[in-house]
Amino acid sequence: MPENRQIAGLAAPLNIANLDTDQIMPKQFLRGIDKAGLDKGVLWDLRFDGEGRPRPDFVLNRPAFAATRILIAGPNFGCGSSREHAVWGLQQYGIRAVIAASFGEIFYSNAMNNRLLAVLLPEAAVQALMDEAGAGAAPLRVAIDVQRRVVCTPRAKTPFTLSERHRGMFLEGLDVIGASLAHAAAIDAFARRHWAAQPWLRDVARCTQERLDSRSNPVADLDSGG
């Protein structure tokens, strides 16, 4: 099934409450002027010790979880600062969805707007997934059916809520910019009506700056008769 309709793969349990965006993407990885290389900083202090050595007991460092695509997280995942880099870094690391009982509000918006699926389930359902993930010798495989809004595992099928806007964005393969551009014709029509009704507002900043510049230039004032 196309990923627009279903996200499937290995799921890693990350049972840590209040895992904030500073932990998901530490500040020292925010120095670049683009998004490149953010995967290196994802959950740095959990993945590595103070000497930069991998922590072998951390779930994402275990070889069996190298291809993890889904996180089963603790409550209030992504709380803290509004840094969108946390979402970008998780995506670069290969994560396509996070399942939790609650999310930081800004993180949730950033995630959905960038097509990182944030799945809200009741705490009991998340705990059941955690238990199922820890019960087998091999990592748990999870399939999230976006079209039907169901999380599927070998043991259970659990429905989740998702707004029609966000569901439509995922099914159509759109981020928030793409979703906005889908209304380009309506936006252009509104702009034409706006400028027709209020033409004096067009380029007002540029015109004001030109007038101020001319007043600071005596030669320009003479040329214009000012």
Side-chain angles (χ1 to χ4, degrees):
M1 186 178 295
E3 191 167 89
N4 288 355
R5 296 176 56 192
Q6 176 178 279
I7 297 171
L10 301 184
L14 196 60
N15 196 6
I16 303 172
N18 305 311
L19 191 62
D20 63 38
T21 52
D22 297 349
Q23 295 172 282
I24 298 170
M25 181 56 60
K27 62 183 181 303
Q28 63 266 33
F29 295 96
L30 309 183
R31 298 171 183 165
I33 60 173
D34 58 20
K35 302 177 186 178
L38 291 175
D39 56 315
K40 296 179 177 62
V42 169
L43 301 168
W44 177 266
D45 291 324
L46 292 173
R47 292 165 54 212
F48 301 96
D49 64 20
E51 302 298 322
R53 296 173 299 216
R55 300 181 189 272
D57 57 336
F58 183 62
V59 61
L60 293 179
N61 287 341
R62 300 174 192 168
F65 288 91
T68 293
R69 293 171 58 79
I70 299 167
L71 294 180
I72 307 169
N76 204 23
F77 184 88
C79 58
S81 71
S82 62
R83 64 186 64 171
E84 201 167 6
H85 301 72
V87 170
W88 299 333
L90 286 168
Q91 290 176 308
Q92 288 181 22
Y93 194 79
I95 304 301
R96 293 293 172 263
V98 182
I99 301 171
S102 57
F103 292 90
E105 184 175 354
I106 298 176
F107 176 88
Y108 183 87
S109 294
N110 286 340
M112 301 303 278
N113 287 341
N114 284 277
R115 292 179 47 75
L116 173 67
L117 184 62
V119 176
L120 280 164
L121 290 181
E123 285 191 29
V126 175
Q127 187 58 55
L129 286 174
M130 293 275 190
D131 294 342
E132 188 173 357
L140 176 67
R141 295 192 66 86
V142 172
I144 304 171
D145 189 326
V146 178
Q147 186 168 25
R148 294 170 53 224
R149 288 176 275 208
V150 177
V151 176
C152 303
T153 70
R155 292 185 183 177
K157 293 183 178 181
T158 309
F160 64 96
T161 58
L162 184 66
S163 73
E164 282 301 324
R165 180 173 76 90
H166 288 141
R167 178 174 174 269
M169 286 169 59
F170 273 88
L171 293 178
E172 294 171 27
L174 302 174
D175 60 12
V176 68
I177 296 175
S180 298
L181 290 176
H183 302 282
I187 294 169
D188 289 342
F190 172 84
R192 287 193 297 271
R193 292 193 303 270
H194 174 77
W195 296 127
Q198 303 167 104
W200 58 88
L201 291 177
R202 182 182 287 275
D203 295 332
V204 65
R206 178 183 59 79
C207 294
T208 301
Q209 186 61 55
E210 287 177 355
R211 290 180 63 189
L212 291 172
D213 290 343
S214 69
R215 294 193 177 192
S216 65
N217 185 340
V219 175
D221 284 344
L222 290 173
D223 290 343
S224 62

